[in-house]
Amino acid sequence: MTSIRLHNTKTRKKELFVPLDPKNVRMYVCGPTVYDRAHIGNARPVIVFDVLYRLLREVYGPDHVTYVRNFTDVDDRINETAQNRKAAGAPGTLEQLIRERSDETIRWYHEDMDALGALRPNHEPRATDYIPQMVAMIEGLIATGHAYAKDGHVLFRVRSYKDYGKLSGRSVDDMIAGARVEVAPFKEDPMDFVLWKPSTDDLPGWDSPWGRGRPGWHIECSAMADELLMKGLPETQKSFDIHAGGIDLQFPHHENEIAQSCCAHPHGEFARVWMHNEMLQVEGKKMSKSLGNFFTVRDLLDGNWSGGWNVPGEVIRFVYLSTHYSKPMDWTDEKARQARERLIEWSHLSVDVTEGAVSEDVLFELQQDLNTSEALTEMGKIADAGDIPTLLATARLLGFDLQKVAKEDWANPYVYEMPDGTVRREGIDYQPTVGVIGWGPFPENLASAAMEVVRRWLELRRDKDYTSADQLKRNAEALGLSLRAYRTPSGLNGGQGHLSGRPNYEDLERLLG
RNA sequence: GGCGGGUUGGCGGAGAGGUUACGCAGCGGAUUGCAAAUCCGUGAAGAUCGGUUCGAUUCCGAUACCCGCCUCCA
């Protein structure tokens, strides 16, 4: 019998996971505010909870899991971009420009997260499509005394919910003592937070009983979870299984969601299990634009980061899974390189192998609060044992398609020469790789000249003309191109050139005579 | 100031109250025209102080340092 254990932030314990309804396991993850490209921190919950989603599908069946992840498309930064575009003469109304900005950001998000191997959730609601549900929920909260309207604002009466602060382990009084809460004339209590606020004419707004305005951030998630995960259930069953997100959302966002939803449905408990992933750092430091270590997922994919090389989505995913989600994770060049090597190795093993069954050992590790790090270690043992059918199936469970990786250019940077001298082509471009040290762009003609040198050298070696081969190697190295050959377990010969300097390509061509 | 997380061998990174983590790097050996790769083997740890225990890196407490949240940033 499979049993999943998950760390529940609400109880601060690792608990046996028992779904409310095994035929419909329901999870909600707080999604992005779609104002710009997702940065690499945004990708962590996506990957972590994608693994959870895959695990739940494996255990309960793919048709028995409902995964909701929202898009927050009510945001000042979206408005700002739209306003700037309008000012710059873009056609269309402000509302259209806002919608366009959200649309394009959502498209990017999908592109980037797809590249990371994340499955699309069953529902990806946009906040602006659920305004009536938010309004209805707010009206209900006012009717039961948990919220009040003042000057076009509606505020949640925090003191009316006795368990407020339970999730994050704070007391309301302590928070007031911390004194960093916003005091406003329309608030009864400094802790009260906004459910609805008025909109000015130049900002998007919706009609409501309190005038034209827009929803507060927290009510969005409550209303969408309500609609997509608990609709139609009797009041006594207004709960779902798992709610997840970054640890930075624990307070106030998740605390406020609980307050709203539990006051709207006093007999339910909203989410039973709360899961939070820890934050991501880059090279040991907090990611920030001023430190120059702020990268989007797209930056990594395209090579626009301090490492300077194109990091495949699978490699990014591997790096993320190598650290447990509950611990801070550091993105480093070194880790990414190791992950790449490992994936290349496994992918080469998987060529022409028929997929088997998922490893029980790996499944077990995932069931221990998503121990992805240990799962990858187990995968290594499976690979060492030569059980490739299992490796293939297990990698797929974790979101890696090894056979697809095996066909990627980045996994096949070498030229292979068969013992009979014929050339085996792998990947699209089947030239020897040039450039390792000081990765970065170099002129096309230099690359092709260097590759030709490697090719010539391999030919000389094949013909056992070691005198000429060594001569060529010495000359090439003098110019900054070092040559290496290797033999694979399957008996193939290959060669590789490493550019350690920036030789003139004409000098290299001269070597070829 | 309040709340929470972290600190493991050169680097990354897990589990378990007593038994080898694992990967990379290193070292030794085999092998390959040299070298690389590969294969085999191997040394190396648990921030500091104190407590519980027959025994703790693993449990408890304190200290130091790092990080996050308390400001609609995952």
Side-chain angles (χ1 to χ4, degrees):
Chain A
M1 178 57 195
T2 47
S3 58
I4 299 177
R5 302 183 69 82
L6 299 173
H7 184 268
N8 188 350
T9 313
K10 193 160 77 172
T11 58
R12 290 163 223 289
K13 286 189 188 121
K14 207 184 279 191
E15 301 171 343
L16 182 65
F17 175 69
V18 182
L20 290 160
D21 175 8
K23 294 287 179 204
N24 184 20
V25 182
R26 290 159 289 158
M27 60 184 274
Y28 186 100
V29 175
C30 287
T33 300
V34 285
Y35 65 97
D36 205 348
R37 285 271 183 193
H39 64 246
I40 62 176
N42 296 121
R44 196 168 185 199
V46 173
I47 292 174
V48 164
F49 299 116
D50 176 66
V51 172
L52 175 62
Y53 180 45
R54 288 169 184 271
L55 174 66
L56 293 172
R57 285 162 59 97
E58 176 75 16
V59 171
Y60 296 99
D63 298 330
H64 301 297
V65 184
T66 305
Y67 173 19
V68 178
R69 186 181 62 210
N70 67 290
F71 286 117
T72 295
D73 58 353
V74 180
D75 182 78
D76 285 336
R77 289 162 296 190
I78 302 171
N79 301 335
E80 195 181 328
T81 303
Q83 283 165 335
N84 289 343
R85 287 179 179 181
K86 185 151 181 67
T93 64
L94 185 62
E95 281 71 23
Q96 286 168 333
L97 290 171
I98 286 170
R99 189 78 185 182
E100 271 173 30
R101 177 58 174 173
S102 311
D103 285 345
E104 94 184 339
T105 312
I106 288 172
R107 196 160 56 242
W108 291 340
Y109 189 80
H110 278 146
E111 281 170 14
D112 297 346
M113 298 308 130
D114 288 353
L116 301 181
L119 298 173
R120 299 272 181 100
N122 301 90
H123 302 283
E124 295 184 279
R126 295 170 70 141
T128 50
D129 291 333
Y130 291 80
I131 303 290
Q133 287 86 345
M134 296 177 206
V135 169
M137 193 173 220
I138 294 170
E139 285 182 308
L141 289 170
I142 292 175
T144 51
H146 292 294
Y148 56 94
K150 180 112 188 276
D151 303 338
H153 292 75
V154 180
L155 289 114
F156 185 88
R157 190 173 275 132
V158 168
R159 301 268 183 193
S160 77
Y161 179 58
K162 64 174 171 44
D163 286 336
Y164 191 82
K166 214 171 168 186
L167 177 73
S168 54
R170 301 152 200 254
S171 78
V172 176
D173 295 320
D174 285 349
M175 283 183 268
I176 302 274
R180 287 229 217 154
V181 288
E182 184 195 1
V183 181
F186 48 80
K187 285 186 178 182
E188 283 180 6
D189 186 290
M191 280 312 296
D192 293 348
F193 60 88
V194 170
L195 297 174
W196 189 267
K197 59 186 163 188
S199 263
T200 51
D201 289 340
D202 58 340
L203 288 174
W206 291 264
D207 290 328
S208 80
W210 319 286
R212 183 172 176 277
R214 51 189 176 137
W217 175 39
H218 315 298
I219 196 72
E220 295 176 9
C221 288
S222 280
M224 290 187 277
D226 210 90
E227 176 75 13
L228 294 166
L229 293 176
M230 303 187 283
K231 194 178 187 180
L233 293 172
E235 273 303 314
T236 51
Q237 293 173 29
K238 288 283 190 183
S239 309
F240 60 95
D241 297 295
I242 300 169
H243 192 133
I247 187 71
D248 57 332
L249 293 182
Q250 185 186 30
F251 188 89
H253 184 54
H254 290 161
E255 199 71 72
N256 292 355
E257 279 188 58
I258 292 173
Q260 294 157 357
S261 292
C262 287
C263 288
H265 305 295
H267 301 291
E269 55 178 318
F270 195 42
R272 307 184 79 200
V273 179
W274 284 84
M275 294 178 71
H276 292 99
N277 63 276
E278 254 293 346
M279 299 287 108
L280 181 128
Q281 296 178 287
V282 174
E283 302 287 353
K285 292 188 175 138
K286 183 184 176 176
M287 190 165 64
S288 75
K289 285 178 179 168
S290 60
L291 284 174
N293 64 351
F294 181 96
F295 308 117
T296 64
V297 171
R298 180 50 50 185
D299 288 337
L300 290 188
L301 293 169
D302 291 346
N304 297 320
W305 65 293
S306 56
W309 51 287
N310 296 59
V311 189
E314 290 89 346
V315 172
I316 298 174
R317 185 178 182 91
F318 195 105
V319 170
Y320 280 44
L321 296 189
S322 63
T323 298
H324 192 260
Y325 76 86
S326 66
K327 287 196 174 182
M329 193 202 100
D330 200 13
W331 173 270
T332 64
D333 184 56
E334 174 70 16
K335 265 194 229 183
R337 288 175 187 281
Q338 286 188 18
R340 180 178 58 180
E341 291 314 306
R342 205 97 167 118
L343 274 170
I344 289 174
E345 189 187 328
W346 290 353
S347 74
H348 286 184
L349 291 172
S350 73
V351 174
D352 298 333
V353 171
T354 304
E355 191 166 325
V358 169
S359 157
E360 289 297 321
D361 291 336
V362 170
L363 196 55
F364 176 81
E365 293 302 342
L366 292 180
Q367 288 170 352
Q368 308 311 307
D369 196 29
L370 300 181
N371 193 340
T372 51
S373 172
E374 195 69 11
L376 291 176
T377 299
E378 287 296 333
M379 297 256 296
K381 291 182 189 166
I382 294 165
D384 288 346
D387 185 1
I388 312 307
T390 301
L391 179 73
L392 201 48
T394 308
R396 194 179 302 287
L397 173 65
L398 284 170
F400 298 105
D401 185 339
L402 293 180
Q403 293 184 327
K404 175 171 168 286
V405 168
K407 292 182 185 137
E408 301 285 349
D409 277 359
W410 59 268
N412 292 284
Y414 309 132
V415 65
Y416 288 117
E417 266 190 20
M418 303 297 282
D420 63 4
T422 59
V423 169
R424 178 172 159 192
R425 286 188 169 271
E426 301 254 349
I428 294 166
D429 177 14
Y430 161 55
Q431 307 279 355
T433 296
V434 177
V436 160
I437 299 166
W439 288 63
F442 38 81
E444 195 58 40
N445 50 16
L446 172 58
S448 55
M451 289 183 201
E452 202 45 53
V453 170
V454 176
R455 199 177 280 283
R456 173 69 56 83
W457 180 60
L458 288 171
E459 283 168 9
L460 290 169
R461 283 168 49 90
R462 185 193 62 202
D463 298 340
K464 299 203 192 307
D465 183 356
Y466 297 120
T467 310
S468 304
D470 288 352
Q471 183 70 40
L472 179 62
K473 185 179 179 181
R474 274 195 300 275
N475 290 340
E477 282 178 353
L479 292 174
L481 175 69
S482 58
L483 302 177
R484 284 193 203 154
Y486 60 87
R487 180 165 293 117
T488 64
S490 56
L492 301 173
N493 286 312
Q496 195 177 8
H498 290 192
L499 276 180
S500 54
R502 281 288 184 277
N504 189 310
Y505 78 95
E506 287 168 349
D507 292 337
L508 281 179
E509 290 201 321
R510 206 165 295 133
L511 289 183
L512 298 165

